[in-house]
Amino acid sequence: MKKFSFYFLFLTICSIKIYGQQFTISGYIADSTNGESAIGALAFIKGTTQGTSTNVYGFYSLSLPAGEYEICFNYLGFEPIIKKIKLDKNIVINPKLSPVKNELTEVVITADEQLQQVKSTQMGVIRIPIEQIKNIPTIGGETDIIKVMQLMPGVKRGGEGQNGMFVRGGSGDDNLILLDEAVVYNVSHLFGFFSVFNNDALKDVTLIKGGFPSKYGGRLSSVMDIRMKDGDQEHWRVDGGIGLLSSRLTIQGPLKKDKMSFLLAGRRSYIDKVFKMAYGGKNVLPYYFYDINMKVNYKISNKDRLYFSYYDGDDILAASAPSDSGIFEGGFKLGNTTFTTRWNHIFDSRIFSNTSLVYTKFRYDVEANIPGNSFLVRSNIKDIGIKEDVEIFESPESHITCGYSFVSHGFRPNVVNTSGEISEYLRSQQGKLITTNESGIYFGHERTLDSLFKIYYGFRTSSLSGDSCHYWGFEPRFSLNYALSETQSLKFGYSRMKQYMHLVSSSSIALPTDLWYPVTKNVKPQSSDQLAVGYVQKIKKIKSLLTVEAYYKWLNNLIEYKEGAVLLLNNNYENELIRGKGAAYGLEFFLQKSTGKFTGWVGYTLSWATRKFDKLNYGEKYFAKYDKRHDLSLVGTYEFTKRFSFSAVWIFSTGQRFTALKGNFFMPNSALSNVDVLNIYSGKNAIVLPPSHRMDINFILKTKKRKYWVEGEWNFGAYNLYNRAQPYKVEIVANDNGTYKYQAKGLFGFIPSVAYNFKF
Amino acid sequence: MKKNKYIFPPLTVLCLLLSACLPKPIDIEIEGHRPTLVVSSQIIPGQTMIVALTRSFSALSNSTQGDTVASNFLDNVLVSDALVTVSYLGETDTLYMLTSGIYISTNTLQYSYGTYSLYAKDPATGMEITAESSLLPKVPFDTVYPVITRNPGDTTVRVEFEFSDLPEKNWYAINYYVKRSGTGFDINRIFSVGSNKVLTELELLSDLTFDDNVYSNETQLSGIGPTDTIAVAIANISEGYYQFLTAYKRAGGLFNQITGEPVNYPSNVIKGHGYFNTHYPDIKVFDLHNY
């Protein structure tokens, strides 16, 4: 038995080498204009669909039997490159693709990204090119990747203008958002109206809603993997933009050609300055935000590359006003810092590894000072971790991924410093440092079984250790692709996810006091199990990809808050939490066109999301707040000429739900000293607001190209073109006849915007 | 002219922003509130049971949106001439109407652990409710006394108390209230929202958190005058009534008033609201000028 085991192990290890007489073509695919690596670009044998795609670092590896081939490199928006090769040893090819000059030119190729999605086992994934995101109109003319993702099927928006994302019936804290591998805890500026992501610094955004690869874990509902640009490796460049609410500037270039490049991007809002100037120096609106993104990449050798990514951003409110006791000064500051160091190493032409050291800090301070009294409330989260990801490109039919991660989370909520009379009511406290260690080991294998079937199977084992608790979870992942034809496939997927932390917020409005807390011995990890089936078709006639997916998700150990829970400065918040379960199911339809003069998509979702908690809604099942039955997005951009294009977005959705105050009754208090008026509510989330719909538009006019001059682009846009209220709040208001009624109010009406973008 | 040039860009921005219009709000049609009967009750140690019977009303009523309650509104809310009975140990007492909305019985015997079944029918609307409550044994204070600190600017009072916890699971409510020296208790203003209320504190305890079967603690009261009268009452209450009072406290909390999150009140009234509770309070009164 021992001998047999040894021989079996030996054969398994050597299988890579003994797999026929195979040689490998590998390398990095990049953009010729700036050297940026191309994520998801294709390398395949011309005339076949046998090939592979680049990973998030632009690396590909294709192993084939010895012979002569024509290899084609293809990427959306770029001219393909075809090379003839004689494969009799491992070779490295690093093609640099040039942008398409004439979109009307038909290039006959047998594989493209849309076909890749048809053939892939991956379900529930959305990738939008950053260039396409920039043209989509949004509020105030500020392009925002999160607002764009909210236009996707399966992704529900929060209140008007808010950055909340509720993916396939999940909650706002169920989304894992990564910026170059580092977790970003707070993704919003200005209470959720803008995201912290500066598009000029970004290269790729991928949203995964289901069929999660085993590499990802830690959240129940979605993963948004955001990759920063590496920095132009060919030329020095300056990009920027001046808008109504903020401006930005990006500088990038090679520090050493073909060896090292950098990128530095900054953004700041200046509405505070505008109002100050307009109001004769008075600080009427003392609020601003800023972001800084920095990246340096260094090619040590053909096999080793180093990347350093840094992000820092804050929201700052600093107000002062005269009062009876003197000058009142107060405000808040909240923001994130992330720092990642990554090392890519190619072991041999088929094994690629990435090692990341990650650091994240999220903090907020709220303070106020008045002569004789002051207080400061501070909270922060600090993550320090290491991740290792290995990819084995065994063959065109077999791709293995494996790795581990270890992150130490340090939560320090509610550090309070007070002085003066106020300290009698609000005592200083050091706050409790809660440290947890979260780790995961994963394995995944995508294998083409035959011409019809392709499967992905894998697992992730996760664990969390805290002061007095230890949890672990086994998270299987599986998906299957059945090819109906060259351009159509059926897919099936299952994934289990676990979440070891949650956002504590008792209000529906994003407040600075919203805090992340880890699980404890009393608060167990949440989990989800998701089944999905889908149909994908590339429609060649209209160069579009059609995806239809149905899903069912079970949610367990969900956390909610007792009614009337007080979470502000409450170190015993656990007593306010209750557990329950939920379910979400629905059907998504997505038709996307990414090439040609007209690009855009249609997204429609029909969905339900329910919750059940013994201590809420009298123990009866109820609909989740963002259970919106129908959600439709129509997005389109048309390029009339090289200089002039037009974008429009029209969205429609069933109203979100709320709990209405319906009646009152008198009740003496327990001491019978007075009588109070108590409220009677409808069932929890039983009332649906009116449907919301709106149209946003954007005209883009590029300035004429002149040699040695700035290339500019004017954006003229309008948010909510026909000024329809997008209900975000319900109030009881007086009628003309003296009675009262419920009314839903919108936050923003028609908002025009102007912005100027430039580059040189 | 230069000065005007600098003002022009921000003014342009302002104009663009100000040209943004606020959209017209959208009216929401919600099914109207159907009134129900509302019950509250109190036992006066001895043999008296008081039941207050009112009707709930729509939150869109113009009376709830104003500052004071009109008298004809009260006529619609207070239930008159209702049939109110309390059954226990095979006996049924009919409570008589003391005034609109208040029904009283002086014959109802009070048995510890006795179960009392309330029935009420509103003749005007035909609405009926039923409710059940157990009379839990009285738990008196073993000791209770105020500790007064008189400062030049104010007086602070700390109430120290101790009581013996009964076996099995128990819940307690301790009420503190103040009667100002020289003030009466104005019954005519009792229904006025915004009137000066008597200061109260409500402390809720669950013996699940007790370390011992003798519980002692102290409570700080503020805003007390040196010649006021304070009363401290402890009652052994049911778990259901404890949950009701907990919701009551949370809904009145500052944080909840800011966020406006809904708080539902549990009820043991079938087809109604409020709470039918039967508990014995042990009340101790302290005239502070004697301390």
Side-chain angles (χ1 to χ4, degrees):
Chain A
M1 186 65 184
K2 274 189 186 173
K3 239 188 193 175
F4 177 78
S5 303
F6 171 76
Y7 281 127
F8 181 75
L9 187 63
F10 178 76
L11 283 172
T12 306
I13 291 168
C14 295
S15 63
I16 293 171
K17 300 289 183 195
I18 303 175
Y19 199 88
Q21 189 64 22
Q22 291 216 331
F23 298 101
T24 304
I25 314 155
S26 63
Y28 289 88
I29 302 178
D31 180 342
S32 66
T33 61
N34 54 24
E36 288 282 347
S37 55
I39 300 174
L42 302 175
F44 61 93
I45 303 305
K46 190 183 172 192
T48 74
T49 55
Q50 204 176 23
T52 187
S53 59
T54 56
N55 65 13
V56 293
Y57 296 97
F59 176 80
Y60 74 94
S61 173
L62 185 58
S63 296
L64 297 163
E68 291 186 1
Y69 300 95
E70 275 189 291
I71 183 163
C72 184
F73 301 98
N74 187 28
Y75 191 44
L76 181 68
F78 290 79
E79 300 276 0
I81 288 176
I82 301 172
K83 270 186 178 317
K84 284 186 183 171
I85 54 168
K86 183 180 175 184
L87 192 62
D88 53 4
K89 60 180 178 189
N90 293 338
I91 56 176
V92 173
I93 303 177
N94 297 316
K96 293 195 174 177
L97 305 179
S98 300
V100 169
K101 287 182 183 127
N102 182 357
E103 283 104 1
L104 297 178
T105 303
E106 285 282 337
V107 179
V108 179
I109 49 176
T110 50
D112 59 27
E113 282 175 30
Q114 289 178 336
L115 280 177
Q116 199 60 14
Q117 288 193 55
V118 172
K119 292 178 190 322
S120 166
T121 54
Q122 179 68 60
M123 298 181 75
V125 66
I126 296 169
R127 278 191 65 219
I128 309 240
I130 288 290
E131 290 308 312
Q132 195 173 12
I133 289 175
K134 284 180 178 176
N135 294 333
I136 293 170
T138 53
I139 192 166
E142 301 283 336
T143 51
D144 189 318
I145 57 165
I146 299 214
K147 297 265 186 320
V148 171
M149 286 302 173
Q150 290 174 344
L151 300 173
M152 295 298 159
V155 182
K156 301 287 166 75
R157 297 170 284 283
E160 185 183 14
Q162 293 281 303
N163 267 346
M165 278 201 326
F166 303 88
V167 181
R168 289 189 173 177
S171 302
D173 61 346
D174 289 352
N175 308 307
L176 179 69
I177 300 180
L178 301 169
L179 179 65
D180 276 0
E181 304 280 352
V183 174
V184 182
Y185 285 101
N186 174 45
V187 298
S188 298
H189 286 310
L190 193 56
F191 303 112
F193 290 116
F194 304 103
S195 81
V196 301
F197 303 111
N198 179 352
N199 286 343
D200 287 349
L202 305 182
K203 176 161 64 180
D204 186 82
V205 181
T206 302
L207 178 70
I208 306 172
K209 305 175 289 181
F212 299 97
S214 51
K215 172 184 176 178
Y216 297 111
R219 300 288 189 276
L220 300 185
S221 292
S222 79
V223 175
M224 185 181 280
D225 194 343
I226 303 168
R227 300 281 163 174
M228 278 174 56
K229 287 177 180 165
D230 298 329
D232 196 322
Q233 299 188 27
E234 302 291 328
H235 314 99
W236 282 85
R237 282 177 51 173
V238 176
D239 299 87
I242 303 169
L244 280 186
L245 297 172
S246 71
S247 287
R248 58 192 197 280
L249 189 70
T250 302
I251 302 170
Q252 53 182 310
L255 294 171
K256 191 174 181 186
K257 201 150 164 59
D258 294 328
K259 265 286 191 187
M260 192 183 213
S261 67
F262 89 105
L263 174 141
L264 178 64
R267 177 175 68 159
R268 191 204 192 276
S269 70
Y270 43 59
I271 200 73
D272 56 329
K273 303 290 184 199
V274 168
F275 273 86
K276 195 173 180 179
M277 283 172 71
Y279 281 84
K282 281 187 197 168
N283 215 358
V284 174
L285 189 64
Y287 164 83
Y288 71 95
F289 67 79
Y290 75 87
D291 299 300
I292 297 172
N293 292 79
M294 195 170 74
K295 183 100 172 258
V296 175
N297 80 82
Y298 178 57
K299 184 178 167 186
I300 302 170
S301 67
N302 288 334
K303 293 195 173 206
D304 295 277
R305 295 188 180 198
L306 268 181
Y307 303 87
F308 302 97
S309 309
Y310 173 80
Y311 166 80
D312 185 60
D314 275 301
D315 279 60
I316 297 166
L317 173 74
S320 66
S323 72
D324 292 339
S325 316
I327 300 291
F328 165 83
E329 291 174 326
F332 65 79
K333 183 177 177 183
L334 76 140
N336 303 283
T337 302
T338 69
F339 181 66
T340 317
T341 300
R342 288 172 295 162
W343 169 44
N344 290 171
H345 179 67
I346 301 171
F347 283 93
D348 70 25
S349 51
R350 279 187 270 196
I351 303 177
F352 177 95
S353 91
N354 174 66
T355 308
S356 302
L357 298 175
V358 291
Y359 171 83
T360 294
K361 185 174 180 181
F362 166 64
R363 72 258 166 202
Y364 87 76
D365 296 341
V366 179
E367 66 178 319
N369 291 291
I370 195 167
N373 282 282
S374 69
F375 80 79
L376 167 69
V377 176
R378 173 169 286 166
S379 291
N380 65 57
I381 305 169
K382 221 183 279 188
D383 286 357
I384 299 173
I386 181 169
K387 298 182 186 181
E388 175 70 34
D389 299 298
V390 176
E391 287 182 77
I392 302 170
F393 298 85
E394 236 189 337
S395 69
E397 292 82 25
S398 177
H399 181 222
I400 295 171
T401 53
C402 57
Y404 70 86
S405 67
F406 175 86
V407 179
S408 177
H409 304 288
F411 302 83
R412 192 186 280 278
N414 299 329
V415 177
V416 180
N417 285 323
T418 55
S419 68
E421 275 183 44
I422 196 174
S423 58
E424 288 180 34
Y425 303 98
L426 189 61
R427 291 190 187 155
S428 294
Q429 56 183 7
Q430 194 50 33
K432 198 177 157 191
L433 174 63
I434 309 166
T435 304
T436 59
N437 298 318
E438 186 176 347
S439 58
I441 297 172
Y442 73 90
F443 170 84
H445 187 197
E446 186 176 63
R447 181 145 190 91
T448 303
L449 298 178
D450 55 31
S451 60
L452 294 177
F453 287 97
K454 194 174 191 179
I455 62 167
Y456 172 87
Y457 64 91
F459 66 87
R460 183 180 181 85
T461 57
S462 57
S463 73
L464 181 117
S465 297
D467 271 342
S468 51
C469 64
H470 181 84
Y471 298 102
W472 81 279
F474 179 70
E475 303 169 34
R477 313 280 169 87
F478 175 79
S479 50
L480 169 80
N481 180 310
Y482 172 69
L484 294 169
S485 71
E486 274 300 301
T487 57
Q488 302 171 81
S489 66
L490 283 176
K491 298 189 187 185
F492 167 80
Y494 165 77
S495 49
R496 168 174 291 176
M497 303 289 276
K498 276 206 172 279
Q499 184 163 332
Y500 295 100
M501 61 174 72
H502 46 270
L503 188 65
V504 175
S505 167
S506 66
S507 171
S508 49
I509 306 167
L511 292 173
T513 51
D514 294 347
L515 297 175
W516 288 89
Y517 279 89
V519 296
T520 65
K521 64 176 180 191
N522 299 315
V523 181
K524 296 184 182 354
Q526 303 175 78
S527 68
S528 72
D529 292 272
Q530 186 178 161
L531 278 176
V533 293
Y535 168 79
V536 187
Q537 181 186 1
K538 175 180 162 117
I539 306 174
K540 283 183 180 173
K541 225 173 182 177
I542 55 173
K543 293 182 196 168
S544 298
L545 189 73
L546 170 68
T547 309
V548 181
E549 269 188 40
Y551 66 90
Y552 196 102
K553 189 154 81 173
W554 292 267
L555 300 156
N556 295 299
N557 272 336
L558 292 183
I559 289 165
E560 258 295 354
Y561 313 99
K562 291 179 182 171
E563 289 178 344
V566 178
L567 299 163
L568 183 63
L569 301 178
N570 184 358
N571 285 327
N572 294 320
Y573 76 95
E574 282 183 40
N575 295 334
E576 307 293 330
L577 301 181
I578 48 179
R579 285 211 304 272
K581 55 187 181 182
Y585 47 96
L587 181 69
E588 295 168 8
F589 171 94
F590 189 48
L591 180 66
Q592 182 186 23
K593 184 174 188 295
S594 304
T595 57
K597 278 189 169 296
F598 176 81
T599 57
W601 66 84
V602 176
Y604 169 72
T605 309
L606 171 68
S607 64
W608 290 259
T610 61
R611 299 286 188 268
K612 189 174 188 302
F613 289 79
D614 288 342
K615 292 185 179 173
L616 290 180
N617 204 43
Y618 305 105
E620 301 287 326
K621 190 158 61 171
Y622 61 93
F623 288 110
K625 180 165 183 170
Y626 294 105
D627 170 81
K628 298 181 185 178
R629 193 68 61 247
H630 304 279
D631 199 300
L632 173 67
S633 299
L634 304 175
V635 179
T637 300
Y638 191 79
E639 192 179 296
F640 288 95
T641 66
K642 284 280 180 200
R643 289 182 56 209
F644 178 65
S645 54
F646 170 75
S647 291
V649 170
W650 187 75
I651 59 167
F652 170 92
S653 76
T654 314
Q656 73 185 54
R657 295 177 168 273
F658 79 105
T659 307
L661 172 63
K662 293 192 75 175
N664 298 108
F665 61 93
F666 290 118
M667 193 74 182
N669 63 20
S670 58
L672 296 181
S673 60
N674 200 5
V675 174
D676 293 316
V677 178
L678 304 189
N679 295 334
I680 300 172
Y681 293 95
S682 66
K684 191 167 175 70
N685 298 334
I687 310 297
V688 181
L689 288 175
S692 65
H693 53 89
R694 72 163 203 269
M695 173 171 275
D696 308 326
I697 59 171
N698 193 26
F699 293 92
I700 303 145
L701 178 64
K702 295 183 184 177
T703 56
K704 282 185 184 172
K705 269 190 182 178
R706 291 176 200 169
K707 208 173 177 185
Y708 306 124
W709 194 240
V710 173
E711 286 179 45
E713 175 186 284
W714 286 97
N715 283 256
F716 303 95
Y719 172 87
N720 199 355
L721 188 65
Y722 49 84
N723 204 38
R724 158 123 181 147
Q726 310 295 303
Y728 87 105
K729 183 174 137 174
V730 177
E731 288 180 344
I732 295 175
V733 298
N735 263 325
D736 295 333
N737 59 5
T739 58
Y740 290 81
K741 61 182 176 181
Y742 283 105
Q743 208 173 59
K745 298 203 165 175
L747 194 57
F748 302 117
F750 168 76
I751 301 179
S753 63
V754 177
Y756 177 71
N757 299 319
F758 57 87
K759 60 181 177 184
F760 58 89
Chain B
M1 204 57 196
K2 265 193 183 174
K3 211 177 173 179
N4 289 341
K5 244 168 82 172
Y6 288 134
I7 290 174
F8 184 67
L11 270 182
T12 309
V13 169
L14 253 185
C15 289
L16 275 170
L17 288 174
L18 290 172
S19 69
C21 317
L22 279 177
K24 189 180 164 192
I26 303 171
D27 291 344
I28 303 174
E29 295 294 329
I30 296 180
E31 188 187 341
H33 172 69
R34 285 185 204 164
T36 59
L37 288 179
V38 180
V39 171
S40 62
S41 61
Q42 184 61 53
I43 282 182
I44 296 172
Q47 294 184 340
T48 306
M49 177 176 283
I50 303 173
V51 173
L53 198 62
T54 58
R55 298 183 194 99
S56 64
F57 47 94
S58 169
L60 300 182
S61 157
N62 53 10
S63 291
T64 53
Q65 304 303 322
D67 288 332
T68 56
V69 178
S71 59
N72 61 344
F73 172 76
L74 287 178
D75 292 338
N76 292 331
V77 167
L78 300 174
V79 177
S80 298
D81 302 318
L83 172 63
V84 182
T85 64
V86 172
S87 301
Y88 58 97
L89 295 176
E91 305 261 346
T92 299
D93 289 340
T94 302
L95 282 67
Y96 69 89
M97 190 177 86
L98 183 66
T99 181
S100 275
I102 305 291
Y103 298 80
I104 191 167
S105 162
T106 56
N107 296 327
T108 303
L109 293 177
Q110 289 151 14
Y111 293 95
S112 290
Y113 297 112
T115 299
Y116 293 82
S117 301
L118 174 73
Y119 169 82
K121 182 171 180 178
D122 177 6
T125 61
M127 290 191 289
E128 295 176 306
I129 56 95
T130 56
E132 275 192 5
S133 178
S134 287
L135 180 61
L136 297 175
K138 183 175 177 178
V139 173
F141 286 114
D142 294 339
T143 58
V144 58
Y145 51 89
V147 175
I148 300 154
T149 307
R150 289 191 170 84
N151 300 312
D154 65 356
T155 300
T156 58
V157 176
R158 193 175 73 247
V159 175
E160 297 186 4
F161 63 87
E162 186 177 282
F163 65 89
S164 301
D165 179 33
L166 295 177
E168 298 175 352
K169 291 182 190 170
N170 293 283
W171 294 265
Y172 301 96
I174 302 178
N175 276 293
Y176 306 83
Y177 53 94
V178 171
K179 190 174 162 194
R180 301 283 182 214
S181 62
T183 65
F185 193 71
D186 189 346
I187 193 90
N188 290 326
R189 289 176 62 77
I190 196 170
F191 287 102
S192 292
V193 175
S195 66
N196 289 329
K197 298 183 179 59
V198 176
L199 175 68
T200 58
E201 287 280 340
L202 169 62
E203 193 174 344
L204 297 171
L205 301 167
S206 164
D207 68 1
L208 294 171
T209 62
F210 292 179
D211 295 323
D212 203 354
N213 59 352
V214 175
Y215 182 81
S216 57
N217 206 344
E218 59 182 51
T219 302
Q220 188 85 17
L221 301 177
S222 57
I224 309 289
T227 56
D228 289 345
T229 301
I230 64 170
V232 186
I234 184 172
N236 178 16
I237 60 175
S238 65
E239 183 184 6
Y241 191 49
Y242 172 86
Q243 303 292 358
F244 176 86
L245 292 177
T246 301
Y248 185 94
K249 270 191 86 167
R250 282 169 179 263
L254 175 64
F255 189 73
N256 188 256
Q257 291 193 33
I258 292 170
T259 61
E261 298 289 327
V263 176
N264 287 297
Y265 299 92
S267 174
N268 64 350
V269 179
I270 309 297
K271 293 184 186 174
H273 287 91
Y275 213 92
F276 175 52
N277 79 87
T278 50
H279 61 260
Y280 270 132
D282 176 40
I283 306 173
K284 296 284 187 283
V285 181
F286 304 95
D287 288 324
L288 294 185
H289 65 265
N290 292 331
Y291 285 83

